[in-house]
Amino acid sequence: MEKAKILVIDDDPVCIGVLLSLLAERYEVTAANSGSTALELLSVMRPNIVLLDITMPNINGYQVIRQLKSDTATADIPVIVISSLTEASDQEFAFKLGATDYLPKPIMPNAIYGLLDKYLSH
């Protein structure tokens, strides 16, 4: 069975490392350390799901969501925001732009696995 493809977008190498170590055995994981790199990758790959940080320089996570959801080729890809921004207004804005789900940092393995199972099982 082919592994699901996950695109991790985060400018923090520690967060990328944690997610890679948690997910690499079960999934095919690609990482981008900026919004612009992620958008370039998305022009040539189609992940089954995106794990996205919000606070990044230049192109932030909100802008990435906006781009993804405005392009018919990527609009249906689920986007799970993983962010240290925990205010309700941050979450509401991400959902308004089209985020599928929202997890606060620090990364909790069971929460990640649960959401991936939820969105990749159909």
Side-chain angles (χ1 to χ4, degrees), residues 97-114:
L97 293 174
T100 310
D101 224 311
Y102 201 106
L103 283 177
K105 288 182 180 177
I107 297 164
M108 303 303 286
N110 288 342
I112 293 279
Y113 294 142

Side-chain angles (χ1 to χ4, degrees), residues 17-120:
V18 167
L19 288 167
L20 287 174
S21 69
L22 289 172
L23 304 176
E25 192 172 307
R26 297 184 191 187
Y27 306 101
E28 182 182 319
V29 184
T30 303
N33 63 1
S34 71
S36 56
T37 302
L39 294 173
E40 288 173 25
L41 281 170
L42 286 161
S43 70
V44 296
M45 75 173 287
R46 178 157 170 84
N48 299 94
I49 200 160
V50 171
L51 302 180
L52 175 66
D53 184 30
I54 295 296
T55 52
M56 296 182 291
N58 301 321
I59 298 177
N60 67 35
Y62 294 133
Q63 293 165 305
V64 171
I65 296 170
R66 193 176 279 125
Q67 290 266 17
L68 277 171
K69 298 304 175 180
S70 68
D71 184 337
T72 55
T74 57
D76 63 335
I77 298 171
V79 176
I80 299 174
V81 172
I82 301 175
S83 179
S84 56
L85 299 177
T86 57
E87 295 294 322
S89 59
D90 298 315
Q91 295 179 30
E92 288 168 12
F93 189 57
F95 287 129
K96 182 180 175 187
L97 293 174
T100 310
D101 224 311
Y102 201 106
L103 283 177
K105 288 182 180 177
I107 297 164
M108 303 303 286
N110 288 342
I112 293 279
Y113 294 142
L115 285 177
L116 291 175
D117 288 346
K118 176 181 176 180
Y119 294 113
L120 294 174

